[in-house]
Amino acid sequence: MVSTLGRIVLIIWLFVVLIIKSSYTASLTSILTVQQLYSPIKGIETLKTGDDPIGYQVGSFVEHYLSEEIGIDKSRLVALGSPEEYAAALQRGPEKGGVAAVVDERPYIELFLSSQCIFRIVGQEFTKSGWGFVRFANIQIGGSSELQVELAIFNSIERTPENMSVSGLGI
């Protein structure tokens, strides 16, 4: 007959074995997953020196920023109009007519990632000075559109690195 003390020791050993087994399984899963999450894109410098297409949001300042300030050829930039286009272009990849990465403002990237969990932000966030938000509804100034009013304010904002951040997104 087994004593009460023996049963207690057996139960403790069962829990210890369960914890060790769970820890081993979690470590193995983590190791295998990290290998699958590898991305050749390390940040904006990788995009700058590579020759893969880069996506950006239609109508965004990012096109001008990438081409004029970063120095990426406009022929490599691909305009994307919706989160669905972001996902489709990233899934196709540069080999099949898609893009290697999408560069956009951090809030838009985070909104996109909230519904598309297979993608992730890669590299460090990079900053651009002179960024700001102003929106006027239906203002016409001497025939100028509201976009020109926004650009005038955009250009007059104090230029500090803290004013703007842009994030890259890749598979």
Side-chain angles (χ1 to χ4, degrees), residues 60-122:
S60 171
F61 69 92
V62 174
E63 176 187 21
H64 179 267
Y65 177 69
L66 291 173
S67 64
E68 302 299 325
E69 297 196 29
I70 301 293
I72 296 172
D73 190 55
K74 283 190 176 189
S75 65
R76 292 180 51 208
L77 302 179
V78 178
L80 303 170
S82 68
E84 293 78 20
E85 287 184 34
Y86 279 21
L90 285 167
Q91 285 175 341
R92 281 193 311 268
E95 298 84 22
K96 297 179 183 173
V99 296
V102 172
V103 177
D104 203 348
E105 296 170 64
R106 181 129 189 149
Y108 296 127
I109 295 290
E110 288 178 356
L111 181 63
F112 172 74
L113 291 176
S114 70
S115 64
Q116 300 287 334
C117 300
I118 61 172
F119 305 108
R120 64 189 176 103
I121 295 175
V122 295

Side-chain angles (χ1 to χ4, degrees), residues 3-164:
S3 69
T4 307
L5 182 60
R7 288 182 182 166
I8 291 173
V9 170
L10 177 67
I11 290 173
I12 290 173
W13 272 108
L14 285 175
F15 280 117
V16 168
V17 168
L18 179 68
I19 291 171
I20 291 172
K21 179 184 174 244
S22 297
S23 176
Y24 172 76
T25 304
S27 296
L28 182 62
T29 303
S30 174
I31 290 168
L32 294 175
T33 303
V34 167
Q35 289 176 354
Q36 291 178 356
L37 292 178
Y38 169 77
S39 173
I41 300 170
K42 303 295 182 209
I44 192 66
E45 287 302 318
T46 308
L47 292 174
K48 183 178 177 182
T49 58
D51 59 353
D52 290 331
I54 303 166
Y56 67 93
Q57 183 180 14
V58 173
S60 171
F61 69 92
V62 174
E63 176 187 21
H64 179 267
Y65 177 69
L66 291 173
S67 64
E68 302 299 325
E69 297 196 29
I70 301 293
I72 296 172
D73 190 55
K74 283 190 176 189
S75 65
R76 292 180 51 208
L77 302 179
V78 178
L80 303 170
S82 68
E84 293 78 20
E85 287 184 34
Y86 279 21
L90 285 167
Q91 285 175 341
R92 281 193 311 268
E95 298 84 22
K96 297 179 183 173
V99 296
V102 172
V103 177
D104 203 348
E105 296 170 64
R106 181 129 189 149
Y108 296 127
I109 295 290
E110 288 178 356
L111 181 63
F112 172 74
L113 291 176
S114 70
S115 64
Q116 300 287 334
C117 300
I118 61 172
F119 305 108
R120 64 189 176 103
I121 295 175
V122 295
Q124 290 184 333
E125 185 175 287
F126 52 97
T127 59
K128 157 88 174 83
S129 60
W131 184 73
F133 273 113
V134 174
R135 179 77 176 138
F136 294 104
N138 298 323
I139 291 182
Q140 296 279 328
I141 300 175
S144 297
S145 68
E146 62 185 57
L147 176 62
Q148 289 172 325
V149 172
E150 290 174 356
L151 287 175
I153 292 171
F154 173 85
N155 289 328
S156 68
I157 293 175
E158 178 185 353
R159 296 183 179 271
T160 62
E162 295 79 29
N163 285 350
M164 189 181 109

